[in-house]
Amino acid sequence: MAPRLQVAVDSPDMVSALGPLNKAVEHVDIIECGTILVIAEGLRAVREIRALYPEKTILADVRIAEAGGLIACQCFEAGADWVSCVAGASLSTIGQVVKVAAEYDGEVQVELGEAYSPDRARAWRDLGVRHVIVKRSRDREAAGDLSWGDEDIERVSELADMGFTVTVTGGIKAAELDVFTGRPVGVVIAGREIMQAEDPEASALNLQRAIGRVWP
């Protein structure tokens, strides 16, 4: 199965978020209410995007680190389908988030940090986490490291073998998706490539075509 395309909406306000999102939304599968947008607008962002696009899967990328049950409950009540946790959150916190997610028929995504532990990942899966993110960090990208290392690529397969849906992200462009050929990627995230494009619709469509080429 080809990966789904997720657009990361990390705009600083709803006005700048909705302009490009409205143009691209037909060609995306998942809308991420990004951390920057949620910090700026609160869970209003999730509520408004849910109201506008009721048929889309919506992630509240709040990167839960503690108070897992409370934060997750607020996100799901606002209309999110998925919530995110940071890899450094305690297993107790992640367990609380998974429990609340089950009550709302939602799902949980954990974003891997710089340090990766297969044993810890297996513990997340045992708790009921369904999604993990393999990320090329924005800070690393800004420092000029644009590569996807062999370890990143192998990690995709390792995590998929554990039973996760694996998401890849980090300044992804259509032209570089070939690096994941043959790998069981479940979701591809694009943010700036769509949201800051001169033509967001064309950019999203180009990404979908690239996904179809790499995962025919």
Side-chain angles (χ1 to χ4, degrees), residues 104-121:
Y104 286 88
D105 197 25
E107 299 176 13
V108 180
Q109 187 179 66
V110 175
E111 182 174 309
L112 299 185
E114 292 293 328
Y116 166 66
S117 164
D119 289 340
R120 190 166 181 81

Side-chain angles (χ1 to χ4, degrees), residues 19 68 100-101 167:
V100 170
T167 295

Side-chain angles (χ1 to χ4, degrees), residues 33-202:
C33 294
T35 310
I36 293 170
L37 180 63
V38 173
I39 288 172
E41 297 282 6
L43 290 175
R44 166 192 170 217
V46 177
R47 294 187 186 94
E48 291 193 7
I49 288 175
R50 165 56 66 208
L52 287 168
Y53 312 111
E55 76 287 358
K56 297 293 183 181
T57 297
I58 295 177
L59 164 68
D61 187 24
V62 291
R63 305 187 189 188
I64 296 169
E66 58 181 16
L70 177 61
I71 296 172
C73 184
Q74 291 178 344
C75 291
F76 289 122
E77 287 185 350
D81 299 292
W82 300 356
V83 296
S84 65
C85 297
V86 297
S90 70
L91 294 180
S92 175
T93 294
I94 290 177
Q96 290 172 24
V97 177
V98 171
K99 181 179 178 181
V100 170
E103 294 171 2
Y104 286 88
D105 197 25
E107 299 176 13
V108 180
Q109 187 179 66
V110 175
E111 182 174 309
L112 299 185
E114 292 293 328
Y116 166 66
S117 164
D119 289 340
R120 190 166 181 81
R122 291 187 188 96
W124 299 332
R125 191 71 190 98
D126 289 343
L127 286 170
V129 173
R130 294 182 60 180
H131 304 270
V132 290
I133 301 175
V134 174
K135 180 179 182 180
R136 177 174 59 190
S137 77
R138 179 175 289 195
D139 292 342
R140 199 170 80 187
E141 185 186 355
D145 183 357
L146 304 179
S147 64
W148 283 93
D150 291 342
E151 288 185 359
D152 294 325
I153 305 301
E154 291 300 326
R155 196 163 293 157
V156 170
S157 296
E158 181 178 25
L159 290 162
D161 286 344
M162 292 181 196
F164 291 107
T165 297
V166 182
T167 295
V168 294
T169 188
I172 285 178
K173 297 176 172 56
E176 70 180 326
L177 285 178
D178 294 280
V179 73
F180 297 107
T181 297
R183 300 294 177 172
V185 174
V187 180
V188 172
I189 300 179
R192 288 161 284 168
E193 181 75 354
I194 295 173
M195 296 297 293
Q196 295 181 14
E198 185 174 335
D199 186 340
E201 180 182 17

